[in-house]
Every structure is written in structure tokens, then in C-alpha cells.
């Protein structure tokens, strides 16, 4: 949710409607700082809007709930008992996040999670959880069982001497301390003796040392950094003109796959799921939601995928991959954000990004740039006042002045100065939208004041709290001058994000991820500011690909780019995915009309777009293409059947629901029923969809997935090859979509032992994915592992296949 929730939007709309015409006009015409000063009086303590805000925040509570911790731990135990170790580990993580700091119960969560991780084969992370359990006061009477698990982990990792030492320690604890008695003691001794034998075997027959592998062995990509654009290749140069604004062009010929930019996000915030509150009402007991969201799967600071999260000390929402990430986040911004959790979830990720941006920048830098912007605005007003006509006023951003966002040396860096100078388009946003954003920023600042966090926001030590403005200098409905400056910057950032927010995406596994074929899809994970990446203008047919690793973005050329040609990014609407009219409508949020080559070609052509033809309906009677707007007529004159577009659209929605039901059957391990349902959907679709419709390809892909689950590799490959044909028709033979489909086909052929076909497909997939994702991406590594495995087969087998 980028913007505030629906109920708060309605509340803000009512508040604006109740304003007098004079105040409303004054707010609409006011600069950001003035608008905030006027808006402070609208969100009065004890007023209707403030009460509504408190009510909404309670629904998205992020506080610690011991009752929730007990429920999640018990549910985790149930899943563990059924052998669902991945689900159990996530539930134990949820339980740990709800335990109060210092609570002995949190050690039980870590110990239980270590057992689940051991069964999943994550031995290093299991050891970390065992250490956490011990450091959080795990009960002495239960400790031997956990320490024996530690011995098993060390053995599995080949650390024989460490395993022997740990075994001696646990043996001493059992025999000397006498902390366990009865049948449980006998079971433990039996386990101890078994591990003794294993340790002796490993000591007498040590395993050969494994060769170092991974990224350390890989050659780094050739890279010569630009002197004037941080993180950019020397093959790029920064330009500026009135029509295009800031933009990047090639300063030399660029090849497909060439690395153009590597940038760490200045700020990023994990995108919350809709309705992040997890309490479900039940007639007889409190029940919490066991659904898994991205907030459970990724570190809230570095976006690394989580196996065993470290919970925040103050709230149940923020989770981290390590104690180091948790501590760094706390020092940089989370000590301020922690108690605002429910408010930030309700106001949306744009407000959250805006707050985190000013916290990371610090009050000194924010204040400097806000004051500088006031001076620039004053200079511009004075210059225009001296001119006879506004049109005679010079453009202060051109001429001898530096390109906006550059430092005094003319360098454009991934800095707060560059973020601040991204265009907010304040004059182009609707009055209603600006009012909503203003009221939301005021709500955050009020909450900071109420929670006593103003000193933290202004980067002051707690001892300096008394040195701020005295209470008599401002009324309860005003913000301090310093907080007013931070609020103005925040409002600027919220408005900037509509045009400059960059989605950080990941290829997320669908299903459990433990099958022979891994099915992935791109998922929006976080919203971020990348000031250098924001220099790229839009094209519906871009010449670059962007990939992400954690909070870092990498830009690569997806096609040859000649010297002097502009570098284009796609802001979302791609020519392969939608018609020009739909693209133009979506792009209106960026306050420009797209005039890229793809749009111009389609607008000037009298023919229907390729996307429109491929995703069209066909005649239910003769399967010829249908033409028209509200009423579609068969293009076959001999048939001349007509059908309403709404009727066929309703039929399409029905079909999509049935496909969703088939996939749910697959998730419930009912593969045969899923196949029957998908084949029925396929027959139905042929009666009214064009053969090249994307949904036809998706059904082939789903059938391949089901057959692969059953180990019917030839059938799976046959269906996936049909899907690939449709993907190639829509997206092109060198598209990243084509690369992902070929990656799936390579897995199927590999598992089906079709060696020559697998090697050929691996080569095709590698060529495409290296261009779009780079030679060190996860998919490239997996393809290379498959190729190595196949080439190591005996020559006699290779010849037969």
C-alpha cells in the first residue's frame, strides 16, 4: 500500500470539504512549508480526525502480545509434529517477535526453531539459534537435548573437533549436573552414545576438504567507474535540457549485458501487506493469522531472505537477518519508527519512506537543503518580478549553473542532496492529493511529539531535549521550528515518490520450493529512492534491464546502444504487455505524455496493436478473430456472429477463477484433479480466446508444473515448450521472460535425463539471463551447476542421449 488506507483518505476528504473557501484556496496556493503550518491546526488533539487516526492505528497494532506468542508457538509445535518444518520455523519466528524483551519464553522459541532448521538442513543457522536460546536463558533441565542437536549440526558441517568438544561438554552436564531423570534421561543417553560412535567414525575417516566455491571464485565483471556519476559506468554521461530534464546518454558504443550502473538505495522500506494486523476474531478464543507475508520472509533493513529472524526489541513487526542489522537499524532510524509502527502501516509506504529518508539524512543536512530551496524560490520570484512578462524569466536550472542535484564539484552522487533535488511536481498534484499527504505528514509529526521522540528525529542526545524551543513558544497545535523543517522535507519526499519511487523486486519461489522444478515470479518487495537510477527517462521499449540484490540495483544494457543514444528505463507499462492507450493512461501519474518510439509508431498506425491482436477474443462459433468495441462481430463474413464484450470478459474472469482453483488443488497435493481441471479450462479457452493469448500460455505453464510434480518429465516439457512459443511471440526471443521460461525447461529436461536437450536449453537460458541478470545471479549459478553435473556423466551415457 503506497498511499494511506481508504478510511484515512475519506477522513482527510471530509476535513478538506469542511474548510472555508478562503482557507482552501490559500492551502492550494501555498508553498509546502506554509501549507504545513496551516495544516497543523486542522489535526487538533482530541479532534475528530485525531480520534479517527488513533482508532485506525489500533487495527494495525505492532506491539508485543504475549498471548499471540503462545498461540504462534503452539501452532508451530502442531506443524512441527506434522513434519511441516518450514511452516513451523516461520511460526516460531512469529512467536519470538511477540515475546517481551527479557522474557524466558523467547529462548523456547529459538530452541524450537533450531529443531525445525535442523530438519530443513540449515545447520549453520540452527547453530545460531542454539546460541540465541542459550544466551536468552534456556532452561537448564532442557539444555542437553539442544546441545546434542548442536553436536549433530557440527558433524553434518564436517567440524569434527568442534563436535567432539561439544559432545564432551554435554556428557559432563548430563552425568555431573544430574539435571534429567527417568525415561527421558535414558533416551538422551542412547542419543549420546550414538553420537559418540559417529564422532569416532569421523575422526578416524575424515572427509576430504571441499574446494572453495561461490562468488569468491567468480571473476568480477569488468567495471570502470564514472568520474562524475557515482556508481555509473564510464560509458555514460549526464545531460540536461529543458525538454528531457536530467538524463543519461551513452558516451561510447555499449554491448548487450554490459554493466552500466550499480547503486545502493539511499533508503528502502519493505512493502507491508494489505491489512498487516494479524488478530482474527473468534467466538470462543483469540486466534492469530498464520499467513506468511514478505514482512516475515525478508530482513527489514538489508532485504536479505530470512531463515531465522532476529526480532526487534520494541515491536512485533520489524525483523532482521542478524543482530548486527537489528542494531544498525535501531541506531539509524528504527528507535524513532518503532513506536509509530501502526501509524506508518496505516499511512502507507510512501509516508514511511519519507520519514526514514529524513532520519537517515539527519537534521543538519535536511535543514541546509530546505533553507537553500527557500532561497532558490525567492531568487526565482525576484527574477520573474523584474521581467515584463513571466515568459522572459530565464530558466535558472540551465546556463552556467550546475545540473540540479550535483555537488560543488559537479559530481552527481547517490546522496541526500540528489534525493532532495528530485522533482516533487508540487504544482501538478491534485489539491486533494496534496492535502491528504500534508495531513498524513502532520499526523506523523504529532505522533513524534506525543511519544517524546522529537530529540531523536533532530539527532540530539536525550540530555539535549531540554535545549529545544520552550513550550511557551508554540501552542499545542504547532510544530517546533525544527520539526517544521523536517515535516516540509517529508512532504516534499512523499510528493516526489509518485514519480521517483523505485520498486525493488525479487524472483520469489511459488509453492514450497522443495520440488525438482522451482517456479519463480517477480514480486515487489520494497519501495526505495535510487537517485542515480532516477536519472533514467522512460520508454515503453527500454534498452536496459534492472536487477536487484538486497537493496542494491544493477542496470545492464539489454540490447546494443550506440554512442550518443539515450539510456531508457521502463516505468512499468511495456509495449509487450499493454496497448498504447492503456500505457498512456498509466503513465499519466508521472505528469508526462509518453512520446517514445514505441508509442509514436502505434499512435501513427491505423492497424490494431500487436498486443491487442494477440490478447483478443475469437468467435465462439468459428474461432475467427472478433472485432469491435462494446459489441464484437466475427471477422468471418460467412459467420457474422456478434457477442457483447462484457459477456466474453465475464467468461474470461470465470476461466481465471477456475485456473486459480486448479492451482489450489495442486498446492493440496491433488495433482490428478488439478490436471483434469486445467485441461477442461484449456478446452473452454480455445472456444473464445486467440491461440496466442497470454492466458493460453499460462495454462500450458501450469500443466507443465503439475506434470513435473508427478515426475512426468516428457509431458511437462511438451507443455512448457508450447508456453515458451507464446512467451516468445509476446516478449521476444531475447526477453527476460523468455529467459525465465527456458530456465524452467532446463530444470525439467535435467530431471528427465534428456541430456543433449537440457545442455542446449541451458546454453540458451544462460545467454539471455546473463544479459538481464548478470553472470553471478542465482539462476545462472543453478544453470551452471546443472551443466557441470550433466557433463560429468560417463561418456557412454552422453553418447546415448
Amino acid at each position: 500500500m503506497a498511499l494511506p488506507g481508504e478510511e484515512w483518505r475519506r477522513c482527510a476528504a471530509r476535513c478538506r470539504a469542511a474548510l472555508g473557501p478562503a482557507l482552501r484556496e490559500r492551502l492550494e496556493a501555498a508553498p509546502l512549508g506554509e501549507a504545513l503550518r496551516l495544516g497543523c491546526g486542522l489535526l487538533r488533539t482530541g479532534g475528530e480526525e485525531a480520534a479517527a487516526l488513533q482508532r485506525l492505528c489500533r487495527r494495525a497494532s505492532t506491539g508485543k502480545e504475549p498471548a499471540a506468542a503462545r498461540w504462534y508457538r503452539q501452532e508451530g509445535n502442531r506443524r512441527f509434529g506434522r513434519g511441516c518444518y518450514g511452516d513451523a520455523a516461520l511460526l516460531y519466528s512469529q512467536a519470538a517477535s511477540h515475546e517481551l524483551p527479557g522474557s524466558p519464553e523467547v529462548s523456547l522459541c529459538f530452541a524450537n526453531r533450531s529443531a525445525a532448521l535442523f530438519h530443513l538442513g540449515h545447520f549453520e543457522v540452527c547453530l545460531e539459534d542454539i546460541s540465541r536460546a542459550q544466551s536468552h536463558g534456556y532452561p537448564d533441565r532442557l539444555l542437553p537435548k539442544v546441545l546434542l542437536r548442536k553436536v549433530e549440526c557440527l558433524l553434518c558441517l564436517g567440524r569434527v573437533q568442534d563436535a567432539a568438544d561439544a559432545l564432551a561438554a554435554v556428557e559432563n552436564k548430563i552425568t555431573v549436573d544430574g539435571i534429567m531423570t527417568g525415561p527421558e534421561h535414558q533416551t538422551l543417553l542412547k542419543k549420546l552414545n550414538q553420537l559418540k560412535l559417529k564422532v569416532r567414525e569421523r575422526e578416524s575417516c575424515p572427509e576430504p576438504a571441499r574446494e572453495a566455491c561461490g562468488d569468491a571464485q567468480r571473476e568480477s565483471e569488468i567495471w570502470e567507474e564514472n568520474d562524475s556519476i557515482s556508481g555509473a559506468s564510464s560509458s555514460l554521461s549526464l545531460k540536461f535540457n529543458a525538454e528531457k530534464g536530467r538524463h543519461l546518454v551513452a558516451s561510447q558504443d555499449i554491448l548487450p549485458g554490459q554493466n552500466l550502473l550499480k547503486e545502493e538505495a539511499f533508503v528502502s522500506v519493505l512493502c507491508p501487506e494489505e491489512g498487516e494486523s494479524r488478530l482474527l476474531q473468534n467466538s470462543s478464543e483469540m486466534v492469530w493469522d498464520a499467513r506468511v507475508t514478505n514482512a516475515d520472509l525478508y530482513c527489514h533493513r538489508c532485504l536479505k531472505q530470512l531463515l531465522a529472524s532476529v526480532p526487534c526489541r520494541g515491536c512485533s513487526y520489524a525483523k532482521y537477518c542478524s543482530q548486527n542489522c537489528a542494531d544498525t537499524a535501531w541506531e539509524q532510524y528504527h528507535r524513532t519508527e518503532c513506536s509509530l509502527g501502526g501509524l506508518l502501516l496505516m499511512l502507507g509506504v510512501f509516508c514511511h519512506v519519507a520519514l526514514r529518508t529524513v532520519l537517515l539524512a539527519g537534521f543538519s543536512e535536511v535543514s541546509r537543503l530546505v533553507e537553500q530551496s527557500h532561497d532558490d524560490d525567492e531568487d526565482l520570484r525576484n527574477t520573474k518580478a523584474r521581467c515584463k512578462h513571466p515568459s522572459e524569466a530565464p530558466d535558472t536550472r540551465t546556463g552556467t549553473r550546475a545540473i540540479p542535484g550535483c555537488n560543488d564539484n559537479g559530481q552527481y552522487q547517490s546522496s541526500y542532496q540528489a534525493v532532495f533535488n528530485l522533482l516533487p511536481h508540487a504544482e501538478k498534484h491534485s489539491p486533494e492529493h496534496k492535502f491528504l499527504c500534508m495531513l498524513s505528514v502532520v499526523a506523523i509529526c504529532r505522533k513524534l511529539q506525543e511519544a517524546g521522540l522529537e530529540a531523536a528525529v533532530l539527532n540530539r542526545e536525550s540530555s539535549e531535549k531540554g535545549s529545544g524551543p520552550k513550550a511557551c513558544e508554540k501552542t499545542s497545535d504547532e510544530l517546533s521550528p525544527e520539526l517544521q523543517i523536517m515535516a516540509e522535507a517529508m512532504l516534499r519526499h512523499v510528493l516526489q515518490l509518485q514519480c521517483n519511487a523505485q520498486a525493488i523486486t525479487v524472483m520469489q519461489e511459488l509453492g514450497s520450493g522443495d520440488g525438482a522444478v522451482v517456479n519463480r515470479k517477480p514480486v515487489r518487495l520494497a519501495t526505495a529512492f535510487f537517485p542515480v537510477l532516477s536519472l533514467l527517462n522512460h520508454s515503453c521499449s527500454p534498452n536496459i534491464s534492472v536487477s536487484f540484490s538486497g537493496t542494491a540495483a544493477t542496470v545492464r544494457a539489454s540490447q546494443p546502444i550506440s554512442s550518443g543514444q539515450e539510456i531508457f528505463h521502463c516505468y512499468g507499462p511495456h509495449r509487450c504487455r499493454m496497448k498504447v492507450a492503456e500505457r498512456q493512461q498509466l503513465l499519466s501519474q508521472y505528469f508526462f505524455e509518453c512520446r517514445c518510439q514505441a508509442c509514436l509508431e502505434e499512435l501513427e498506425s491505423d492497424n490494431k496493436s500487436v498486443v491487442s491482436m494477440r490478447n483478443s477474443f475469437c468467435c465462439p462459433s468459428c474461432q475467427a478473430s472478433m472485432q469491435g468495441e462494446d459489441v464484437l462481430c466475427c471477422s468471418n463474413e460467412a459467420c457474422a456472429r456478434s457477442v457483447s464484450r462484457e459477456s466474453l470478459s465475464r467468461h474470461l474472469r470465470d476461466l481465471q477463477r477456475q485456473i486459480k482453483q486448479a492451482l489450489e488443488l495442486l498446492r493440496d497435493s491433488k495433482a490428478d484433479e488439478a490436471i483434469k481441471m486445467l485441461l477442461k479450462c484449456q478446452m473452454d479457452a480455445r472456444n473464445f480466446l486467440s491461440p496466442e493469448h497470454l492466458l493460453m500460455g499460462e495454462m500450458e505453464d501450469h500443466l507443465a508444473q503439475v506434470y513435473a510434480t508427478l515426475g512426468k518429465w516428457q509431458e511437462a516439457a511438451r507443455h512448457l515448450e508450447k508456453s515458451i512459443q507464446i512467451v516468445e511471440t509476446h516478449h521476444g526471443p531475447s526477453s527476460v521472460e523468455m529467459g525465465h521460461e527456458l530456465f524452467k525447461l532446463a530444470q525439467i529436461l535435467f530431471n528427465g535425463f534428456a541430456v543433449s536437450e537440457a545442455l542446449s536449453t541451458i546454453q540458451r537460458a544462460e545467454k539471455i539471463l546473463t544479459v538481464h541478470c548478470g553472470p553471478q545471479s542465482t539462476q545462472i549459478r543453478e544453470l551452471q551447476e546443472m551443466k557441470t553435473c550433466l557433463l560429468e556423466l560417463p561418456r557412454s551415457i552422453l553418447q546415448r542421449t
Side-chain angles (χ1 to χ4, degrees):
M1 186 176 72
L3 295 171
E6 180 61 34
E7 197 165 339
W8 176 242
R9 289 203 293 269
R10 288 198 300 269
C11 186
R14 287 195 300 271
C15 180
R16 182 174 180 275
L19 299 177
L23 180 55
R24 195 182 308 158
E25 287 177 18
R26 192 178 167 195
L27 271 168
E28 289 174 12
L32 301 184
E34 179 62 21
L36 279 161
R37 278 188 285 275
L38 294 169
C40 282
L42 302 177
L43 197 64
R44 295 182 299 276
T45 304
E48 182 185 341
E49 289 77 19
L53 202 59
Q54 287 185 335
R55 186 172 63 252
L56 292 170
C57 291
R58 283 195 292 270
R59 295 183 194 170
S61 172
T62 58
K64 302 281 189 181
E65 293 277 358
R70 286 191 295 275
W71 187 90
Y72 281 118
R73 193 167 68 248
Q74 289 164 3
E75 186 62 24
N77 292 341
R78 282 192 282 272
R79 302 283 179 95
F80 187 93
R82 296 202 296 264
C84 302
Y85 302 117
D87 291 347
L90 287 166
L91 287 160
Y92 292 139
S93 295
Q94 280 295 338
S97 71
H98 276 282
E99 291 291 1
L100 296 170
S103 164
E105 281 78 10
V106 74
S107 67
L108 301 178
C109 301
F110 292 139
N112 289 2
R113 190 171 68 185
S114 75
L117 292 166
F118 178 81
H119 282 283
L120 291 167
H122 299 304
F123 303 119
E124 290 282 9
V125 189
C126 176
L127 289 173
E128 291 173 14
D129 257 359
I130 289 170
S131 295
R132 288 187 188 110
Q134 288 181 271
S135 66
H136 282 80
Y138 191 66
D140 243 18
R141 59 186 177 81
L142 302 175
L143 202 53
K145 187 176 180 181
V146 173
L147 294 177
L148 288 177
R149 188 178 302 137
K150 178 179 179 179
V151 174
E152 289 188 90
C153 281
L154 292 167
L155 282 174
C156 291
L157 292 168
R159 293 163 56 182
V160 180
Q161 186 55 54
D162 290 340
D165 294 343
L167 188 62
V170 69
E171 188 174 20
N172 180 66
K173 179 166 281 292
I174 291 172
T175 54
V176 175
D177 294 357
I179 53 178
M180 297 188 82
T181 57
E184 194 174 355
H185 180 66
Q186 297 303 317
T187 304
L188 208 62
L189 288 176
K190 184 179 178 181
K191 183 76 171 178
L192 181 65
N193 290 327
Q194 289 171 347
L195 286 174
K196 276 185 184 177
L197 290 173
K198 280 187 181 181
V199 171
R200 290 195 193 108
E201 286 172 9
R202 293 290 183 89
E203 286 175 330
S204 59
C205 302
E207 291 183 357
R210 295 179 181 178
E211 293 184 11
C213 60
D215 291 343
Q217 278 192 324
R218 298 181 178 275
E219 294 183 10
S220 60
E221 296 178 63
I222 298 171
W223 179 258
E224 186 179 340
E225 190 162 346
N226 199 299
D227 290 334
S228 55
I229 313 166
S230 69
S233 159
S234 58
S235 61
L236 302 180
S237 59
L238 175 59
K239 302 291 183 183
F240 179 87
N241 61 44
E243 180 189 355
K244 294 183 176 182
R246 292 164 288 194
H247 58 285
L248 297 178
V249 300
S251 55
Q252 61 189 55
D253 291 344
I254 294 169
L255 297 173
Q258 192 170 325
N259 213 324
L260 303 181
L261 172 66
K262 298 176 183 175
E263 184 181 16
E264 191 73 31
F266 179 81
V267 62
S268 63
V269 172
L270 196 72
C271 293
E273 303 288 323
E274 293 288 343
E276 199 64 62
S277 178
R278 314 196 86 147
L279 177 63
L280 302 176
Q281 295 299 326
N282 187 288
S283 57
S284 58
E285 58 179 341
M286 299 291 266
V287 179
W288 276 262
D289 191 351
R291 285 178 303 172
V292 176
T293 71
N294 285 338
D296 307 312
L297 297 175
Y298 296 91
C299 176
H300 288 222
R301 177 176 174 267
C302 70
L303 303 183
K304 179 181 176 182
Q305 194 158 6
L306 296 174
L307 287 172
S309 60
V310 175
C312 167
R313 69 185 82 170
C315 69
S316 61
Y317 179 65
K319 303 173 186 70
Y320 303 96
C321 63
S322 65
Q323 192 60 51
N324 179 59
C325 253
D327 293 342
T328 303
W330 184 264
E331 288 304 315
Q332 290 183 340
Y333 51 81
H334 193 63
R335 63 174 174 162
T336 303
E337 296 177 356
C338 189
S339 62
L340 274 64
L343 176 66
L344 294 174
L345 286 174
M346 192 275 299
L347 291 179
V349 74
F350 280 8
C351 285
H352 197 162
V353 171
L355 172 62
R356 189 171 293 181
T357 300
V358 297
L359 292 173
L360 286 168
F363 175 71
S364 176
E365 183 69 355
V366 172
S367 178
R368 180 182 75 83
L369 289 167
V370 168
E371 289 173 10
Q372 182 178 300
S373 72
H374 292 170
D375 293 340
D376 289 346
D377 290 343
E378 185 64 28
D379 289 345
L380 182 59
R381 283 193 293 272
N382 292 338
T383 303
K384 286 183 176 180
R386 288 194 297 269
C387 297
K388 292 179 182 178
H389 301 286
S391 60
E392 295 176 4
D395 186 346
T396 59
R397 297 177 302 173
T398 58
T400 58
R401 282 197 57 172
I403 293 174
C406 290
N407 62 20
D408 294 339
N409 298 319
Q411 295 172 317
Y412 192 93
Q413 297 180 317
S414 187
S415 63
Y416 181 65
Q417 179 166 319
V419 171
F420 190 88
N421 279 280
L422 296 173
L423 293 177
H425 295 292
E427 73 287 355
K428 295 180 181 177
H429 290 277
S430 70
E432 295 80 8
H433 178 72
K434 281 198 291 187
F435 185 86
L436 171 66
C437 295
M438 178 273 296
L439 207 62
S440 299
V441 168
V442 169
I444 292 172
C445 292
R446 281 288 170 74
K447 184 69 174 177
L448 290 169
Q449 284 183 321
E450 290 171 12
L453 292 168
E454 187 171 346
V457 175
L458 303 179
N459 308 115
R460 295 172 176 160
E461 298 297 328
S462 57
S463 59
E464 292 182 81
K465 287 181 182 178
S467 63
K470 295 178 182 179
C472 62
E473 294 176 1
K474 59 182 178 67
T475 69
S476 60
D477 288 336
E478 291 179 342
L479 301 178
S480 69
E482 293 92 342
L483 201 53
Q484 172 78 25
I485 289 170
M486 296 296 266
E488 182 176 340
M490 285 169 59
L491 180 53
R492 181 185 183 93
H493 298 323
V494 174
L495 297 176
Q496 285 173 332
L497 282 161
Q498 181 159 319
C499 297
N500 294 284
Q502 174 64 53
I504 295 178
T505 59
V506 292
M507 293 300 294
Q508 199 168 80
E509 291 182 5
L510 302 177
S512 62
D514 54 5
V517 177
V518 179
N519 196 15
R520 296 185 176 99
K521 71 169 183 177
V523 171
R524 183 178 188 134
L525 180 60
T527 297
F529 268 134
F530 288 93
V532 180
L533 184 56
S534 291
L535 293 171
L536 299 181
N537 282 330
H538 166 82
S539 170
C540 298
S541 184
N543 51 17
I544 55 104
S545 279
V546 183
S547 58
F548 299 93
S549 177
T551 56
T554 301
V555 176
R556 293 180 177 84
S558 60
Q559 60 191 55
I561 303 173
S562 302
S563 179
Q565 189 177 343
E566 186 173 353
I567 311 301
F568 286 114
H569 187 16
C570 179
Y571 293 178
H574 197 286
R575 70 178 307 177
C576 293
R577 300 186 186 100
M578 59 185 72
K579 295 178 286 187
V580 62
E582 295 169 339
R583 299 201 304 269
Q584 295 283 358
Q585 186 177 0
L586 278 175
L587 287 167
S588 64
Q589 67 174 301
Y590 298 103
F591 307 117
F592 70 86
E593 183 182 355
C594 186
R595 307 294 290 172
C596 73
Q597 193 63 34
C599 285
L600 290 176
E601 287 173 4
E602 287 183 48
L603 289 168
E604 291 169 4
S605 172
D606 292 332
N607 298 323
K608 292 182 72 177
S609 72
V610 176
V611 173
S612 179
M613 293 294 289
R614 289 170 186 163
N615 279 337
S616 64
F617 295 116
C618 67
C619 176
S621 299
C622 68
Q623 278 69 60
S625 63
M626 301 291 282
Q627 297 174 347
E629 294 301 325
D630 294 338
V631 177
L632 301 176
C633 298
C634 181
S635 58
N636 178 5
E637 292 181 3
C639 175
R641 180 169 176 182
S642 62
V643 186
S644 74
R645 180 179 291 277
E646 176 54 34
S647 172
L648 291 177
S649 297
R650 193 163 52 245
H651 197 167
L652 178 61
R653 290 192 293 271
D654 267 352
L655 184 66
Q656 289 168 326
R657 276 194 292 271
Q658 290 175 53
I659 292 170
K660 189 177 178 181
Q661 288 170 6
L663 295 178
E664 286 170 0
L665 288 171
L666 175 60
R667 281 191 287 273
D668 292 339
S669 302
K670 298 175 181 177
D672 291 332
E673 291 180 45
I675 288 173
K676 287 178 186 176
M677 196 164 196
L678 284 170
L679 290 173
K680 180 179 175 295
C681 289
Q682 202 174 48
M683 287 180 64
D684 186 19
R686 289 189 186 121
N687 291 326
F688 75 106
L689 296 181
S690 69
E692 293 176 337
H693 198 288
L694 271 175
L695 195 62
M696 301 296 284
E698 288 176 22
M699 283 187 284
E700 296 288 1
D701 192 292
H702 296 324
L703 281 164
Q705 183 185 353
V706 184
Y707 281 117
T709 303
L710 296 172
K712 296 182 178 180
W713 306 112
Q714 287 184 337
E715 280 292 299
R718 183 171 64 83
H719 285 286
L720 195 55
E721 282 164 356
K722 291 179 182 177
S723 170
I724 287 171
Q725 289 173 6
I726 295 174
V727 168
E728 183 173 359
T729 301
H730 279 267
H731 300 287
S734 302
S735 64
V736 68
E737 291 86 358
M738 188 71 174
H740 294 320
E741 288 297 297
L742 287 170
F743 175 78
K744 285 189 279 189
L745 181 60
Q747 292 177 94
I748 286 170
L749 294 170
F750 175 85
N751 284 286
F753 214 58
V755 179
S756 59
E757 294 95 332
L759 288 170
S760 173
T761 304
I762 288 169
Q763 186 176 6
R764 289 176 66 196
E766 266 189 297
K767 185 178 179 181
I768 295 170
L769 292 173
T770 299
V771 167
H772 292 281
C773 308
Q776 296 183 19
S777 68
T778 302
Q779 286 176 304
I780 292 293
R781 288 202 297 269
E782 291 179 26
L783 288 167
Q784 290 172 346
E785 287 168 5
M786 284 191 277
K787 181 165 66 175
T788 300
C789 183
L790 292 172
L791 292 175
E792 288 176 351
L793 291 170
R795 183 168 296 180
S796 58
I797 295 176
L798 289 173
Q799 287 172 345
R800 284 204 304 272
T801 57

